[in-house]
Amino acid sequence: MVDARQLQTCLFEMGVMEEEDCVAVTGVEKFEYGQSNPTFKVWMEKRQRQGESRRTHAIVVRKQPGGKLLKSAHDMDREYRILRALYPHYPVAKPLGYHSRREDLDGTFYAMQYIDGVVFTDPTLPDLTSTQRKHVYTQLIDALSSLHALSPASIGLADLSPHSGFETRQIRRWYKQYQLSVDAPSSDMEWMHDWLEESKAAILGSHLHASLPTTLVHGDFRLDNAIFERGTYTLKGVLDWELASLGNPLADLGRNS
């Protein structure tokens, strides 16, 4: 858990408290679902002016996990850069500030706007009507299409990663991360890695692959990384940009299938 007093000190130093017109952090709650980087809802007390009643305000803080980290993993600075580039050209939370001193909260972190809405964790959407389900998934597909239509250069992300070799980099990086995170290798994972390496040449040599543009790729684009307006189910924001890169847009389409 994040220490509220220490977080408040950091947010004052970052200028977030002043920007949000707040005077104190009053509560911190960790989001429990699905974050490799711990993410917290932070309640703050708004500055009280004469004649006003006490008001509260919420933001979100997303930080590195504590302890030893795998090399190149949990890069908050990179993720914050992507968020700043996307806002306001794409539906993401407004970025508020980045804190680079790891020792303060056992990890670097950034603050962003809190988007109130609903996150669907069951892809069958059992509580929605068929019309509502169609609307949700249409919104999601439109958001994916809009992301891939963005020019990385136009938003300052042309140098986010190399413009070629995406599939090779992905296989190499994830296999290395896997090796560093287990005590003993799994035969199934080794088979999968070998199969990917053997299949890579055929995929990269295909006409389809050659015709695809290099786009901004989210890396984990799926229903539960999106926030929707309650009731209308209009998409309000896309979350979790840790794995974003420049590469093959079909990678996002496959992840969302």
Side-chain angles (χ1 to χ4, degrees):
M1 180 55 72
V2 168
D3 180 85
R5 187 180 295 274
Q6 184 62 46
L7 175 60
Q8 177 178 291
T9 299
C10 294
L11 291 175
F12 269 115
E13 290 178 3
M14 295 159 64
V16 173
M17 300 295 284
E18 182 177 355
E19 181 179 345
E20 298 298 289
D21 198 27
C22 292
V23 296
V25 169
T26 57
V28 180
E29 179 183 355
K30 187 176 184 295
F31 291 102
E32 294 300 330
Y33 182 78
Q35 295 91 18
S36 61
N37 293 311
T39 307
F40 303 86
K41 184 176 182 181
V42 179
W43 281 275
M44 304 190 296
E45 182 179 343
K46 295 285 282 185
R47 190 179 307 279
Q48 192 171 356
R49 292 178 172 81
Q50 188 174 3
E52 291 182 340
S53 58
R54 183 181 179 187
R55 297 172 297 152
T56 58
H57 178 64
I59 64 169
V60 171
V61 163
R62 183 166 162 87
K63 69 178 289 291
Q64 292 176 318
K68 185 178 180 181
L69 303 179
L70 296 177
K71 185 179 179 180
S72 81
H74 312 289
D75 189 341
M76 293 289 94
D77 185 22
R78 183 177 183 275
E79 186 172 341
Y80 185 68
R81 178 198 171 190
I82 294 167
L83 202 65
R84 286 186 64 190
L86 286 168
Y87 185 86
H89 309 287
Y90 190 77
V92 295
K94 178 183 177 181
L96 300 175
Y98 173 70
H99 190 78
S100 61
R101 289 200 307 272
R102 180 173 170 79
E103 61 271 19
D104 287 344
L105 289 180
D106 193 20
T108 62
F109 70 90
Y110 66 84
M112 59 182 165
Q113 171 193 35
Y114 171 69
I115 301 177
D116 186 34
V118 58
V119 175
F120 296 108
T121 58
D122 184 343
T124 66
L125 304 177
D127 297 326
L128 272 57
T129 66
S130 59
T131 300
Q132 289 170 332
R133 287 194 291 270
K134 179 180 179 181
H135 178 65
V136 165
Y137 275 106
T138 299
Q139 294 269 305
L140 197 65
I141 293 167
D142 286 348
L144 182 58
S145 176
S146 297
L147 175 64
H148 295 159
L150 275 177
S151 163
S154 71
I155 58 173
L157 293 178
D159 62 344
L160 182 63
S161 64
H163 287 225
S164 61
F166 172 74
E167 291 84 0
T168 299
R169 294 197 314 274
Q170 291 291 299
I171 294 171
R172 182 176 62 241
R173 176 171 297 155
W174 285 111
Y175 184 58
K176 185 177 181 180
Q177 298 285 53
Y178 160 72
Q179 289 179 309
L180 291 171
S181 62
V182 297
D183 295 326
S186 159
S187 59
D188 290 338
M189 290 296 292
E190 296 298 327
W191 177 89
M192 175 63 73
H193 173 259
D194 293 344
W195 179 84
L196 287 169
E197 288 287 1
E198 292 168 4
S199 305
K200 186 174 62 180
I203 295 170
L204 298 182
S206 69
H207 172 73
L208 174 61
H209 185 274
S211 68
L212 289 170
T214 296
T215 70
L216 184 60
V217 174
H218 181 279
D220 196 17
F221 196 92
R222 61 191 193 200
L223 181 64
D224 58 0
N225 270 333
I227 300 177
F228 295 84
E229 182 77 50
R230 302 178 195 278
T232 66
Y233 304 118
T234 300
L235 189 142
K236 298 180 69 177
V238 176
L239 309 171
D240 197 356
W241 294 88
E242 178 186 5
L243 303 180
S245 183
L246 302 182
N248 187 337
L250 291 183
D252 276 342
L253 184 62
R255 179 66 183 89
N256 195 43
S257 298

